[in-house]
Amino acid sequence: MNQHDSGGPRSPARRNLLRAGATGAVTLAASGALSRPAHSAAQAGDANVSVAIDGKYETVPLRADVLRVTAVQSIMRAIRDTKNPKREMQANLQHMIDLIDAANGFPGRQHLVCFNEQPLSGWNTWTREESLRISIEVPGPETEALGAKAKQYGCYITFGAYVRDRDWPGHLLLNGILIGPDGKVVANHWKTNNMRGFRPDWDIFTTSIYDVLDRYREMYGEDEVLSIARTDIGNISCSVTPGQPDIVRAMAMKGLELRLSSSSGGYNVEEAQLMSAHNRLWTVVCNQSVSPETLGFPEFSGAGDTAIFGPNGKAAARARSVHEEFVTTAIPIAEFRRTRSIPPGVPMEMLLPVYTKYAPRHGANMHSSYIPADSADASRYYASRKNW
C-alpha cells in the first residue's frame, strides 16, 4: 500500500466501517462462527489498474542515471521479552542505524540501502498476540528514526517488519517498507499472499492482501492490490513474498523495474534469477547473516546468499560469506529504462480461459471471518477451508 496515494486520505466513514468489520471478525473467531467466503474473482477487473496497452508504463523522472545500491546482510536478533520489547527493539534499531551510517561512509553515498525481512524484531515461533506486541506502526517511532538517516544521506531505505495497523485491529501484517530521502514513508507494501501447508501442524498466520482481498479492494482500490511505488530511483515493489512468479509477472506488466525482496531463513536463488531474467527486472534479495542470538534455532538457519540480480538473471553482486556484509552494485537505471517495455509476448487469449476456470486450493478472504491465534491454529484452520 503506497502512502502517497492519489486518492487522498481514507474517509472517516470508511475507517469506521472497516473497524467495525475487523472487530466483528475477531468476535466471530472467538465464537467459532465461521462462514466460507465467496470467491472474489468477480470483483476484479478495475479499469483504473495501471497497465499500459502500448508497451510503455508510468514513471517519474529519475534522480540519477546510475544508482548506487547496498543490500545489508545483517544479523537478526529475536526479541526475547515480548511483554516489554522496547529495549531490545531499540538495540536492533540502533544496529540498523549504525549499518546505514557505515553503508554511506567509506563506500560513498548510496541511493538505496536494503535490509532483511525482520531486522527490528527478529523472528521466532511467537503467537499472534506476542507478535503484535513486537510489531511496529507505519509511520511510527522506528520509521521516523530511520527516516532521519534517509534524510541525512539523501537515500532510500527498505526493510521488512511485522506491522500492526489501527484500521486492521487484530491482524498481524508482514510488510515491506520504503522510506524516501525526505525521511517520509513512500510505501508500506503488504505481503501479497501466503504459502499454505507450510509444514504439518504449522502454518503462517500473518494476514496478507489475499487473506482480506475484498475488503482491501474496497479500501484502497484494485491498483493497490499489486502495488508499485513509482519513485525517482525506479518503479519499486517491496516484496516479502518469496517465489510467486505469477505475481511478479503481473507486476512486470504494470511496469515494475526494481523488486526489493526482503528475506529471512534463505530463498531460492535460481528462482529469483529466473524471475529477473523472465521479466527483465533488477532484483535485490536481502537475507540475514549468521544470527547466534535467537533462542531455539542454530546460528546458521538459512543465512547468506544476499544478492543483486540484473535483468539478464545474472548476479551483479552477491554475498561472499554468511556473516554481516555489504553487497553493493551500480544499477544503470536510465539505460535500463530506455530499452525496457512491459512483457511483450504473453499470449493472454490462450491463458485466460485456463486462468478464469482455475480454483486454488485455498481461496481468498481466509481472514475475513477468523484470524488464527498461532501457527498450530493456522494449520488446523486452513486445512478445514481447502477447496481441494
Side-chain angles (χ1 to χ4, degrees), residues 8-174:
R10 306 167 195 161
S11 70
R14 176 163 289 186
R15 283 201 302 269
N16 292 339
L17 175 64
L18 177 65
R19 289 183 181 179
T23 304
V26 177
T27 303
L28 283 171
S31 68
L34 305 179
S35 60
R36 195 173 188 84
H39 195 281
S40 60
Q43 282 78 42
D46 191 315
N48 294 319
V49 174
S50 55
V51 180
I53 60 172
D54 58 0
K56 299 177 183 178
Y57 52 88
E58 182 184 348
T59 61
V60 299
L62 295 168
R63 69 191 318 218
D65 288 349
V66 178
L67 303 178
R68 296 183 300 277
V69 179
T70 291
V72 181
Q73 183 170 280
S74 61
I75 194 171
M76 286 202 337
R77 293 184 289 207
I79 301 299
R80 298 189 181 208
D81 186 356
T82 59
K83 292 184 178 179
N84 298 286
K86 184 175 181 179
R87 181 184 60 82
E88 292 175 272
M89 290 278 285
Q90 185 61 40
N92 286 342
L93 173 62
Q94 186 59 51
H95 190 55
M96 290 181 71
I97 288 172
D98 292 343
L99 289 168
I100 293 166
D101 287 336
N104 283 281
F106 181 76
R109 294 291 180 93
Q110 302 298 302
H111 292 104
L112 173 65
V113 179
C114 305
F115 286 88
N116 63 54
E117 188 177 70
Q118 297 282 21
L120 286 170
S121 67
W123 187 88
N124 213 318
T125 53
W126 299 303
T127 65
R128 178 166 56 90
E129 181 182 352
E130 290 171 325
S131 300
L132 283 167
R133 287 201 294 264
I134 54 91
S135 62
I136 67 171
E137 291 188 338
V138 180
E142 294 82 7
T143 61
E144 288 177 5
L146 294 169
K149 284 295 166 183
K151 192 171 184 178
Q152 176 183 345
Y153 294 116
C155 69
Y156 287 81
I157 298 169
T158 185
F159 63 100
Y162 277 152
V163 171
R164 61 184 182 274
D165 189 321
R166 285 174 288 178
D167 285 341
W168 296 88
H171 291 272
L172 176 68
L173 311 178
L174 177 56

Side-chain angles (χ1 to χ4, degrees), residues 267-300:
Y267 69 100
N268 187 314
V269 175
E270 291 77 15
E271 186 176 61
Q273 290 179 296
L274 180 61
M275 286 193 293
S276 255
H278 186 55
N279 297 295
R280 290 200 65 234
L281 301 171
W282 281 92
T283 301
V284 182
V285 189
C286 197
N287 196 33
Q288 92 275 14
S289 71
V290 161
S291 301
E293 299 179 43
T294 297
L295 291 174
F297 293 92
E299 292 185 4
F300 176 76

Side-chain angles (χ1 to χ4, degrees), residues 269-346:
V269 175
E270 291 77 15
E271 186 176 61
Q273 290 179 296
L274 180 61
M275 286 193 293
S276 255
H278 186 55
N279 297 295
R280 290 200 65 234
L281 301 171
W282 281 92
T283 301
V284 182
V285 189
C286 197
N287 196 33
Q288 92 275 14
S289 71
V290 161
S291 301
E293 299 179 43
T294 297
L295 291 174
F297 293 92
E299 292 185 4
F300 176 76
S301 298
D305 273 336
T306 292
I308 302 172
F309 300 108
N312 58 3
K314 296 181 180 179
R318 189 166 175 179
R320 293 172 293 178
S321 74
V322 295
H323 302 288
E324 287 204 326
E325 183 178 337
F326 290 157
V327 178
T328 301
T329 197
I331 293 178
I333 189 67
E335 180 182 352
F336 165 71
R337 181 175 283 183
R338 277 195 294 271
T339 62
R340 188 162 186 273
S341 70
I342 62 173
V346 182

Side-chain angles (χ1 to χ4, degrees), residues 194-268:
N194 276 316
M195 180 190 304
R196 300 298 185 213
F198 194 82
R199 66 177 177 80
D201 303 320
W202 195 98
D203 233 316
I204 298 168
F205 55 82
T206 52
T207 294
S208 69
I209 293 175
Y210 191 60
D211 293 320
V212 288
L213 182 58
D214 288 346
R215 185 177 294 146
Y216 190 96
R217 278 177 171 147
E218 179 190 346
M219 285 194 65
Y220 309 120
E222 185 67 35
D223 203 39
E224 285 299 310
V225 170
L226 299 179
S227 186
I228 294 175
R230 302 183 193 274
T231 78
D232 61 5
I233 62 169
N235 291 350
I236 290 173
S237 166
C238 300
S239 170
V240 285
T241 309
Q244 302 297 330
D246 296 301
I247 295 287
V248 177
R249 188 64 157 172
M251 286 189 168
M253 292 175 178
K254 296 181 67 176
L256 179 63
E257 296 173 321
L258 303 176
R259 179 175 176 247
L260 309 182
S261 179
S262 56
S263 178
S264 62
Y267 69 100
N268 187 314

